[in-house]
mmCIF file with all atom_site columns, all heavy atoms in Angstrom:
data_model
loop_
_atom_site.group_PDB
_atom_site.id
_atom_site.type_symbol
_atom_site.label_atom_id
_atom_site.label_alt_id
_atom_site.label_comp_id
_atom_site.label_asym_id
_atom_site.label_entity_id
_atom_site.label_seq_id
_atom_site.pdbx_PDB_ins_code
_atom_site.Cartn_x
_atom_site.Cartn_y
_atom_site.Cartn_z
_atom_site.occupancy
_atom_site.B_iso_or_equiv
_atom_site.pdbx_formal_charge
_atom_site.auth_seq_id
_atom_site.auth_comp_id
_atom_site.auth_asym_id
_atom_site.auth_atom_id
_atom_site.pdbx_PDB_model_num
ATOM 1   N N   . GLY S 1 114 ? -6.359  -13.717 -12.356 1.00 93.00 ? 1291 GLY S N   1
ATOM 2   C CA  . GLY S 1 114 ? -6.192  -12.293 -11.758 1.00 93.00 ? 1291 GLY S CA  1
ATOM 3   C C   . GLY S 1 114 ? -7.613  -11.406 -11.863 1.00 93.00 ? 1291 GLY S C   1
ATOM 4   O O   . GLY S 1 114 ? -7.702  -10.609 -11.027 1.00 93.00 ? 1291 GLY S O   1
ATOM 5   N N   . GLU S 1 115 ? -8.522  -11.896 -12.596 1.00 93.00 ? 1292 GLU S N   1
ATOM 6   C CA  . GLU S 1 115 ? -9.890  -11.225 -12.682 1.00 93.00 ? 1292 GLU S CA  1
ATOM 7   C C   . GLU S 1 115 ? -10.682 -11.376 -11.423 1.00 93.00 ? 1292 GLU S C   1
ATOM 8   O O   . GLU S 1 115 ? -11.501 -10.579 -11.092 1.00 93.00 ? 1292 GLU S O   1
ATOM 9   C CB  . GLU S 1 115 ? -10.615 -11.762 -13.924 1.00 93.00 ? 1292 GLU S CB  1
ATOM 10  C CG  . GLU S 1 115 ? -10.078 -11.395 -15.173 1.00 93.00 ? 1292 GLU S CG  1
ATOM 11  C CD  . GLU S 1 115 ? -9.903  -9.885  -15.527 1.00 93.00 ? 1292 GLU S CD  1
ATOM 12  O OE1 . GLU S 1 115 ? -10.571 -9.019  -14.958 1.00 93.00 ? 1292 GLU S OE1 1
ATOM 13  O OE2 . GLU S 1 115 ? -9.148  -9.504  -16.368 1.00 93.00 ? 1292 GLU S OE2 1
ATOM 14  N N   . GLU S 1 116 ? -10.276 -12.443 -10.646 1.00 92.00 ? 1293 GLU S N   1
ATOM 15  C CA  . GLU S 1 116 ? -10.974 -12.654 -9.463  1.00 92.00 ? 1293 GLU S CA  1
ATOM 16  C C   . GLU S 1 116 ? -10.472 -11.821 -8.199  1.00 92.00 ? 1293 GLU S C   1
ATOM 17  O O   . GLU S 1 116 ? -11.099 -11.922 -7.222  1.00 92.00 ? 1293 GLU S O   1
ATOM 18  C CB  . GLU S 1 116 ? -10.865 -14.213 -9.036  1.00 92.00 ? 1293 GLU S CB  1
ATOM 19  C CG  . GLU S 1 116 ? -11.621 -15.222 -9.992  1.00 92.00 ? 1293 GLU S CG  1
ATOM 20  C CD  . GLU S 1 116 ? -11.270 -16.639 -9.629  1.00 92.00 ? 1293 GLU S CD  1
ATOM 21  O OE1 . GLU S 1 116 ? -10.794 -16.920 -8.456  1.00 92.00 ? 1293 GLU S OE1 1
ATOM 22  O OE2 . GLU S 1 116 ? -11.624 -17.480 -10.327 1.00 92.00 ? 1293 GLU S OE2 1
ATOM 23  N N   . PHE S 1 117 ? -9.503  -11.277 -8.476  1.00 93.00 ? 1294 PHE S N   1
ATOM 24  C CA  . PHE S 1 117 ? -8.678  -10.479 -7.404  1.00 93.00 ? 1294 PHE S CA  1
ATOM 25  C C   . PHE S 1 117 ? -9.617  -9.178  -7.101  1.00 93.00 ? 1294 PHE S C   1
ATOM 26  O O   . PHE S 1 117 ? -10.188 -8.636  -7.963  1.00 93.00 ? 1294 PHE S O   1
ATOM 27  C CB  . PHE S 1 117 ? -7.304  -10.107 -7.708  1.00 93.00 ? 1294 PHE S CB  1
ATOM 28  C CG  . PHE S 1 117 ? -6.494  -9.616  -6.532  1.00 93.00 ? 1294 PHE S CG  1
ATOM 29  C CD1 . PHE S 1 117 ? -5.920  -10.494 -5.753  1.00 93.00 ? 1294 PHE S CD1 1
ATOM 30  C CD2 . PHE S 1 117 ? -6.387  -8.313  -6.292  1.00 93.00 ? 1294 PHE S CD2 1
ATOM 31  C CE1 . PHE S 1 117 ? -5.099  -10.150 -4.723  1.00 93.00 ? 1294 PHE S CE1 1
ATOM 32  C CE2 . PHE S 1 117 ? -5.611  -7.894  -5.190  1.00 93.00 ? 1294 PHE S CE2 1
ATOM 33  C CZ  . PHE S 1 117 ? -4.956  -8.791  -4.406  1.00 93.00 ? 1294 PHE S CZ  1
ATOM 34  N N   . SER S 1 118 ? -9.762  -8.887  -5.792  1.00 86.00 ? 1295 SER S N   1
ATOM 35  C CA  . SER S 1 118 ? -10.461 -7.724  -5.326  1.00 86.00 ? 1295 SER S CA  1
ATOM 36  C C   . SER S 1 118 ? -9.841  -6.490  -5.667  1.00 86.00 ? 1295 SER S C   1
ATOM 37  O O   . SER S 1 118 ? -8.544  -6.151  -5.100  1.00 86.00 ? 1295 SER S O   1
ATOM 38  C CB  . SER S 1 118 ? -10.807 -7.801  -3.820  1.00 86.00 ? 1295 SER S CB  1
ATOM 39  O OG  . SER S 1 118 ? -11.582 -8.882  -3.524  1.00 86.00 ? 1295 SER S OG  1
ATOM 40  N N   . TYR S 1 119 ? -10.150 -5.696  -6.521  1.00 84.00 ? 1296 TYR S N   1
ATOM 41  C CA  . TYR S 1 119 ? -9.465  -4.441  -6.874  1.00 84.00 ? 1296 TYR S CA  1
ATOM 42  C C   . TYR S 1 119 ? -9.557  -3.434  -5.823  1.00 84.00 ? 1296 TYR S C   1
ATOM 43  O O   . TYR S 1 119 ? -10.572 -3.369  -5.051  1.00 84.00 ? 1296 TYR S O   1
ATOM 44  C CB  . TYR S 1 119 ? -9.971  -3.848  -8.292  1.00 84.00 ? 1296 TYR S CB  1
ATOM 45  C CG  . TYR S 1 119 ? -9.318  -4.596  -9.426  1.00 84.00 ? 1296 TYR S CG  1
ATOM 46  C CD1 . TYR S 1 119 ? -9.766  -5.638  -10.005 1.00 84.00 ? 1296 TYR S CD1 1
ATOM 47  C CD2 . TYR S 1 119 ? -8.197  -3.934  -9.908  1.00 84.00 ? 1296 TYR S CD2 1
ATOM 48  C CE1 . TYR S 1 119 ? -9.196  -6.341  -10.894 1.00 84.00 ? 1296 TYR S CE1 1
ATOM 49  C CE2 . TYR S 1 119 ? -7.475  -4.556  -11.028 1.00 84.00 ? 1296 TYR S CE2 1
ATOM 50  C CZ  . TYR S 1 119 ? -7.933  -5.763  -11.453 1.00 84.00 ? 1296 TYR S CZ  1
ATOM 51  O OH  . TYR S 1 119 ? -7.418  -6.341  -12.611 1.00 84.00 ? 1296 TYR S OH  1
ATOM 52  N N   . ILE S 1 120 ? -8.520  -2.530  -5.733  1.00 89.00 ? 1297 ILE S N   1
ATOM 53  C CA  . ILE S 1 120 ? -8.603  -1.352  -4.752  1.00 89.00 ? 1297 ILE S CA  1
ATOM 54  C C   . ILE S 1 120 ? -9.744  -0.410  -5.264  1.00 89.00 ? 1297 ILE S C   1
ATOM 55  O O   . ILE S 1 120 ? -9.879  -0.109  -6.263  1.00 89.00 ? 1297 ILE S O   1
ATOM 56  C CB  . ILE S 1 120 ? -7.228  -0.711  -4.803  1.00 89.00 ? 1297 ILE S CB  1
ATOM 57  C CG1 . ILE S 1 120 ? -6.205  -1.585  -4.104  1.00 89.00 ? 1297 ILE S CG1 1
ATOM 58  C CG2 . ILE S 1 120 ? -7.269  0.695   -4.168  1.00 89.00 ? 1297 ILE S CG2 1
ATOM 59  C CD1 . ILE S 1 120 ? -4.810  -1.012  -4.177  1.00 89.00 ? 1297 ILE S CD1 1
ATOM 60  N N   . PRO S 1 121 ? -10.525 0.000   -4.295  1.00 87.00 ? 1298 PRO S N   1
ATOM 61  C CA  . PRO S 1 121 ? -11.650 0.903   -4.614  1.00 87.00 ? 1298 PRO S CA  1
ATOM 62  C C   . PRO S 1 121 ? -11.161 2.229   -5.285  1.00 87.00 ? 1298 PRO S C   1
ATOM 63  O O   . PRO S 1 121 ? -10.204 2.739   -4.991  1.00 87.00 ? 1298 PRO S O   1
ATOM 64  C CB  . PRO S 1 121 ? -12.332 1.202   -3.286  1.00 87.00 ? 1298 PRO S CB  1
ATOM 65  C CG  . PRO S 1 121 ? -11.396 0.857   -2.244  1.00 87.00 ? 1298 PRO S CG  1
ATOM 66  C CD  . PRO S 1 121 ? -10.493 -0.255  -2.764  1.00 87.00 ? 1298 PRO S CD  1
ATOM 67  N N   . HIS S 1 122 ? -11.929 2.747   -6.180  1.00 89.00 ? 1299 HIS S N   1
ATOM 68  C CA  . HIS S 1 122 ? -11.612 3.890   -6.986  1.00 89.00 ? 1299 HIS S CA  1
ATOM 69  C C   . HIS S 1 122 ? -12.010 5.167   -6.102  1.00 89.00 ? 1299 HIS S C   1
ATOM 70  O O   . HIS S 1 122 ? -13.056 5.129   -5.407  1.00 89.00 ? 1299 HIS S O   1
ATOM 71  C CB  . HIS S 1 122 ? -12.460 4.173   -8.176  1.00 89.00 ? 1299 HIS S CB  1
ATOM 72  C CG  . HIS S 1 122 ? -12.161 5.366   -8.897  1.00 89.00 ? 1299 HIS S CG  1
ATOM 73  N ND1 . HIS S 1 122 ? -10.977 5.745   -9.498  1.00 89.00 ? 1299 HIS S ND1 1
ATOM 74  C CD2 . HIS S 1 122 ? -13.018 6.437   -9.045  1.00 89.00 ? 1299 HIS S CD2 1
ATOM 75  C CE1 . HIS S 1 122 ? -11.130 6.905   -10.001 1.00 89.00 ? 1299 HIS S CE1 1
ATOM 76  N NE2 . HIS S 1 122 ? -12.294 7.410   -9.604  1.00 89.00 ? 1299 HIS S NE2 1
ATOM 77  N N   . ILE S 1 123 ? -11.192 6.047   -5.868  1.00 91.00 ? 1300 ILE S N   1
ATOM 78  C CA  . ILE S 1 123 ? -11.459 7.207   -5.087  1.00 91.00 ? 1300 ILE S CA  1
ATOM 79  C C   . ILE S 1 123 ? -11.407 8.468   -5.885  1.00 91.00 ? 1300 ILE S C   1
ATOM 80  O O   . ILE S 1 123 ? -10.444 8.718   -6.532  1.00 91.00 ? 1300 ILE S O   1
ATOM 81  C CB  . ILE S 1 123 ? -10.484 7.381   -3.804  1.00 91.00 ? 1300 ILE S CB  1
ATOM 82  C CG1 . ILE S 1 123 ? -10.783 6.105   -2.801  1.00 91.00 ? 1300 ILE S CG1 1
ATOM 83  C CG2 . ILE S 1 123 ? -10.501 8.595   -3.198  1.00 91.00 ? 1300 ILE S CG2 1
ATOM 84  C CD1 . ILE S 1 123 ? -9.832  6.104   -1.627  1.00 91.00 ? 1300 ILE S CD1 1
ATOM 85  N N   . GLU S 1 124 ? -12.381 9.338   -5.699  1.00 89.00 ? 1301 GLU S N   1
ATOM 86  C CA  . GLU S 1 124 ? -12.371 10.666  -6.395  1.00 89.00 ? 1301 GLU S CA  1
ATOM 87  C C   . GLU S 1 124 ? -11.293 11.483  -5.811  1.00 89.00 ? 1301 GLU S C   1
ATOM 88  O O   . GLU S 1 124 ? -11.081 11.447  -4.593  1.00 89.00 ? 1301 GLU S O   1
ATOM 89  C CB  . GLU S 1 124 ? -13.668 11.478  -6.329  1.00 89.00 ? 1301 GLU S CB  1
ATOM 90  C CG  . GLU S 1 124 ? -14.822 10.713  -7.003  1.00 89.00 ? 1301 GLU S CG  1
ATOM 91  C CD  . GLU S 1 124 ? -14.791 10.660  -8.454  1.00 89.00 ? 1301 GLU S CD  1
ATOM 92  O OE1 . GLU S 1 124 ? -14.134 11.596  -8.994  1.00 89.00 ? 1301 GLU S OE1 1
ATOM 93  O OE2 . GLU S 1 124 ? -15.155 9.757   -9.155  1.00 89.00 ? 1301 GLU S OE2 1
ATOM 94  N N   . ARG S 1 125 ? -10.501 12.247  -6.649  1.00 90.00 ? 1302 ARG S N   1
ATOM 95  C CA  . ARG S 1 125 ? -9.424  12.875  -6.149  1.00 90.00 ? 1302 ARG S CA  1
ATOM 96  C C   . ARG S 1 125 ? -9.655  14.418  -6.186  1.00 90.00 ? 1302 ARG S C   1
ATOM 97  O O   . ARG S 1 125 ? -8.874  15.293  -6.562  1.00 90.00 ? 1302 ARG S O   1
ATOM 98  C CB  . ARG S 1 125 ? -8.200  12.660  -7.101  1.00 90.00 ? 1302 ARG S CB  1
ATOM 99  C CG  . ARG S 1 125 ? -7.922  11.159  -7.061  1.00 90.00 ? 1302 ARG S CG  1
ATOM 100 C CD  . ARG S 1 125 ? -6.595  10.815  -7.860  1.00 90.00 ? 1302 ARG S CD  1
ATOM 101 N NE  . ARG S 1 125 ? -6.412  9.284   -7.800  1.00 90.00 ? 1302 ARG S NE  1
ATOM 102 C CZ  . ARG S 1 125 ? -5.229  8.915   -7.511  1.00 90.00 ? 1302 ARG S CZ  1
ATOM 103 N NH1 . ARG S 1 125 ? -4.002  9.638   -7.756  1.00 90.00 ? 1302 ARG S NH1 1
ATOM 104 N NH2 . ARG S 1 125 ? -4.962  7.497   -7.505  1.00 90.00 ? 1302 ARG S NH2 1
ATOM 105 N N   . ASP S 1 126 ? -10.791 14.748  -5.560  1.00 92.00 ? 1303 ASP S N   1
ATOM 106 C CA  . ASP S 1 126 ? -11.141 16.229  -5.315  1.00 92.00 ? 1303 ASP S CA  1
ATOM 107 C C   . ASP S 1 126 ? -10.722 16.766  -4.002  1.00 92.00 ? 1303 ASP S C   1
ATOM 108 O O   . ASP S 1 126 ? -10.483 17.948  -3.914  1.00 92.00 ? 1303 ASP S O   1
ATOM 109 C CB  . ASP S 1 126 ? -12.505 16.463  -5.723  1.00 92.00 ? 1303 ASP S CB  1
ATOM 110 C CG  . ASP S 1 126 ? -13.511 15.658  -5.036  1.00 92.00 ? 1303 ASP S CG  1
ATOM 111 O OD1 . ASP S 1 126 ? -13.047 14.682  -4.409  1.00 92.00 ? 1303 ASP S OD1 1
ATOM 112 O OD2 . ASP S 1 126 ? -14.841 15.694  -5.298  1.00 92.00 ? 1303 ASP S OD2 1
#
Side-chain angles (χ1 to χ4, degrees):
E1292 296 296 341
E1293 293 177 11
F1294 196 83
S1295 299
Y1296 275 86
I1297 288 176
H1299 175 73
I1300 289 178
E1301 291 297 328
R1302 300 187 173 212
D1303 47 359

